[in-house]
Amino acid sequence: MRYFVFLACLLAIWTVAVDAQETELKHYPLDDVSGLITQSDVSIDKDVTSDGKGSLKATASQPRVVRLFETGDLGVDNARLIYRARLKTEDLKGQAYLEMWCHFPGKGEFFSRGLQNPLSGTNNWVTEETPFFLQKGEKPDNVKLNLVINGTGTVWIDDIRILRAPLK
């Protein structure tokens, strides 16, 4: 029994240490529409929010991509680039997930999609994320952040963060 308690404590310490290695590069609280790319069929909702300050409400009558932000050059390579956000859904017929596109000079754009845990139906606030693994020398000069609604319904997104973490 002591062995299992020791392993549980070690795992907890390791988890905290890994989380502490994340560095926030950008934060988009979505309290207003500043810098937001898509302006149609979206609005700031001050009543439904994960942080008490407002969220972006997107309504879909058909599948759509909500283009949120472009970061520009983040000056990062040899790391995990993590797109993390809080999502809430209501009567979503289909799926919603995060999508990140990284542009590399002379190579084009490549994407990462949060398809491991897409949301559907009605869900309270959950944290979703999608990583992009950057090897040494792979430096995107722009990162595009999207919300994909592959169906119909309402999705709220809040507290978007771009994080840098070590490669595992």
Side-chain angles (χ1 to χ4, degrees):
M1 183 66 174
R2 286 184 185 176
Y3 178 72
F4 290 112
V5 172
F6 173 75
L7 285 178
C9 289
L10 192 59
L11 179 61
I13 291 169
W14 179 79
T15 302
V16 169
V18 168
D19 288 344
Q21 293 177 352
E22 292 180 350
T23 304
E24 184 174 288
L25 301 174
K26 293 273 186 175
H27 181 218
Y28 303 96
L30 287 169
D31 302 338
D32 57 45
V33 294
S34 299
L36 194 64
I37 297 170
T38 295
Q39 297 282 325
S40 61
D41 296 320
V42 298
S43 61
I44 296 299
D45 190 330
K46 293 292 187 179
D47 296 321
V48 179
T49 171
S50 72
D51 62 7
K53 299 176 184 174
S55 67
L56 183 72
K57 178 181 178 182
T59 305
S61 57
Q62 62 185 7
R64 68 183 291 204
V65 175
V66 180
R67 296 183 60 223
L68 299 168
F69 301 100
E70 293 190 23
T71 67
D73 190 344
L74 296 171
V76 63
D77 72 337
N78 195 33
R80 275 184 303 135
L81 190 60
I82 302 167
Y83 169 18
R84 182 179 295 159
R86 303 274 292 153
L87 296 175
K88 176 184 171 89
T89 62
E90 185 175 281
D91 297 327
L92 180 60
K93 293 169 184 63
Q95 298 180 329
Y97 54 88
L98 303 177
E99 178 181 71
M100 173 171 47
W101 286 84
C102 293
H103 180 268
F104 298 91
K107 294 182 180 177
E109 289 187 312
F110 301 87
F111 65 85
S112 174
R113 293 184 175 134
L115 294 172
Q116 65 277 14
N117 293 316
L119 297 178
S120 62
T122 298
N123 297 277
N124 205 350
W125 290 106
V126 296
T127 300
E128 295 286 315
E129 64 181 40
T130 187
F132 199 102
F133 296 88
L134 300 169
Q135 301 303 316
K136 188 171 184 166
E138 293 180 335
K139 290 185 177 184
D141 64 354
N142 192 32
V143 178
K144 297 177 182 178
L145 308 175
N146 298 328
L147 170 64
V148 177
I149 305 172
N150 194 8
T152 62
T154 304
V155 180
W156 289 264
I157 185 167
D158 201 2
D159 200 28
I160 294 174
R161 296 174 189 273
I162 303 300
L163 308 164
R164 180 190 189 286
L167 290 172
K168 289 186 177 179

